[in-house]
Amino acid sequence: KYLAKLNTFDDFISCAKHLKESGIANSIAIEGRSAGGLLIGASMNRAPPGLFDVAVAGVPFVDVMTTMCDPSIPLTVIEWEEWGNPNESKYFDYILSY
């Protein structure tokens, strides 16, 4: 939440690394829709190459800045409680980082 959102992606990547390093999984497929698609997209970009073997992002919410900066889009303002308002400088750069 807010300025800790990167933990979501880093924790997801850490879990996948553990599965491969411990031999529990030889290959990993990931899937997410909407905000889960953001998890998939950000994780693919942040993870080391080859960690994920297959990724499916269904209707992914990957253009966070365009959506979250526009208060006229339904649900945007109430989502600022989760993401932070990117119209405020302390959230802008952070959100842009993922």
Side-chain angles (χ1 to χ4, degrees), residues 46-86:
R46 294 177 65 80
L51 179 61
F52 302 113
D53 299 285
V54 176
V56 177
V59 293
F61 178 48
V62 291
D63 192 0
V64 178
M65 292 305 287
T66 300
T67 302
M68 296 302 288
C69 285
D70 185 351
S72 70
I73 297 175
L75 303 177
T76 297
V77 174
I78 62 171
E79 288 294 327
W80 288 344
E81 278 295 313
E82 176 71 23
W83 305 80
N85 179 351

